[in-house]
Amino acid sequence: MSSILILGAGYVGAVLAELALEEGADVCLADNWYAVQRSQLTDLESAGARVETADLRSAEDMARLLGESPERVYLLAAQASRPISERDPDYTEETNLTGARRVAEGVAEAGDSSLVYASSLNVYGRDLSGEVDVDHPYGPQGDLAHLSKVYAELCLRMYAERAGFDLALLRLGIVYGPSPVEHTDPGRQTVVDKFRRLAEAGEELPLDDGGAATIGVVHVKDAARALWESPVGPGVSAANVAAESVTVGDVAALAQGSEPDGKPAFSFHSPFQYEHRLAEYLK
């Protein structure tokens, strides 16, 4: 593809931009700098990426960027932290709900772009069993950050079917690994990298419910590759992005150099190939 717009220049977006530049694409990264420092993108700018200041909540900003009709738009921008969603529900809703609608309207108006949305495996809820595929229904949610993923998927689907643009819903697991944009705030770190840093510092690893919860995990480079290579269209499609299904206790054990019990309650079906394994990262 010749040109892409990445809305959300954060942890995953920065690695996706690196990959797209390597593949020869024209890359525009846009962010409102709520959770990212613009200086973290200096190397990407030097490599050829264009960096823009824009906010999903602004119809004018979205019209300006989407009016350029990029071949593919990646919607990665979101307020994804549960603690922050409880502390600042208005920003969470405005960004994750209104923002998704504004992007859908802009893509529909542009007419020549396809859209990839970085959703979450959390849309399935809890208390799952067996192999979870994309035909599994949405499940109950416990916070606004994750509830908004369900709304955004449905909103984007509605606009795609109404306007006829192609849409891919990619439901990402817990992402880990190095990126040009990383968060030092523990509230923004995923459990894998948080446990890795706590273990290296010799600190206690918090295990809610004894670490029995099952999660899907994926290395950030594998997540970026799935976003880049995922077929988009015709119409609306969905896929899970999870290299492994593990328990939180397994993550803790690996971070501390112990053997995991390897007994997740369920697994996520995913069509992608993955190069990175959790045990290799945490050893």
Side-chain angles (χ1 to χ4, degrees):
M1 62 196 73
S2 58
S3 64
I4 67 168
L5 169 63
I6 302 174
L7 297 171
Y11 181 54
V12 177
V15 179
L16 174 60
E18 284 184 323
L19 174 59
L21 289 169
E22 291 172 1
E23 297 288 343
D26 292 327
V27 177
C28 177
L29 278 162
D31 206 282
N32 69 350
W33 318 119
Y34 177 83
V36 176
Q37 296 180 13
R38 199 184 188 288
S39 60
Q40 292 176 293
L41 304 177
T42 300
D43 289 344
L44 285 169
E45 280 191 284
S46 298
R50 175 179 142 215
V51 177
E52 294 280 348
T53 297
D55 196 309
L56 295 186
R57 299 171 295 172
S58 166
E60 292 76 14
D61 285 354
M62 292 303 97
R64 171 172 57 86
L65 291 175
L66 295 167
E68 298 175 0
S69 297
E71 187 172 341
R72 183 175 291 185
V73 179
Y74 290 92
L75 176 50
L76 309 184
Q79 196 305 94
S81 166
R82 178 188 57 77
I84 294 175
S85 75
E86 295 171 351
R87 192 165 66 240
D88 195 347
D90 289 342
Y91 178 80
T92 299
E93 289 180 337
E94 291 163 6
T95 300
N96 297 3
L97 306 185
T98 302
R101 174 175 59 81
R102 297 242 188 257
V103 173
E105 290 171 340
V107 172
E109 180 67 24
D112 297 320
S113 302
S114 61
L115 177 62
V116 178
Y117 176 56
S119 186
S120 167
L121 294 177
N122 283 298
V123 298
Y124 300 118
R126 298 184 177 182
D127 300 323
L128 305 173
S129 61
E131 186 177 62
V132 179
D133 206 344
V134 293
D135 58 355
H136 193 284
Y138 295 122
Q141 303 299 314
D143 62 83
L144 288 175
H146 292 121
L147 177 62
S148 66
K149 293 294 187 181
V150 177
Y151 170 89
E153 283 199 10
L154 294 173
C155 179
L156 295 172
R157 179 185 289 272
M158 180 182 74
Y159 274 87
E161 292 175 346
R162 179 189 296 172
F165 62 81
D166 294 330
L167 168 68
L169 306 170
L170 295 192
R171 296 165 180 167
L172 275 63
I174 300 296
V175 183
Y176 65 89
S179 165
V181 175
E182 295 186 23
H183 301 297
T184 57
D185 177 3
R188 296 183 183 277
Q189 294 171 1
T190 64
V191 64
V192 175
D193 283 317
K194 183 187 298 183
F195 279 12
R196 185 172 188 253
R197 288 174 177 136
L198 287 173
E200 288 176 347
E203 298 182 26
E204 183 178 353
L205 278 57
L207 291 177
D208 296 337
D209 299 324
T214 295
I215 56 175
V217 297
V218 60
H219 192 280
V220 65
K221 287 189 176 181
D222 284 332
R225 177 64 64 179
L227 288 163
W228 176 254
E229 295 184 347
S230 177
V232 184
V236 179
S237 62
N240 295 331
V241 182
E244 301 167 81
S245 299
V246 298
T247 68
V248 174
D250 289 340
V251 178
L254 288 168
Q256 294 173 320
S258 303
E259 284 296 319
D261 64 22
K263 297 179 180 178
F266 54 88
S267 64
F268 294 101
H269 175 267
S270 180
F272 303 105
Q273 298 296 315
Y274 300 98
E275 295 183 7
H276 301 271
R277 308 299 295 179
L278 185 63
E280 296 174 357
Y281 178 70
L282 290 176
K283 67 181 180 181

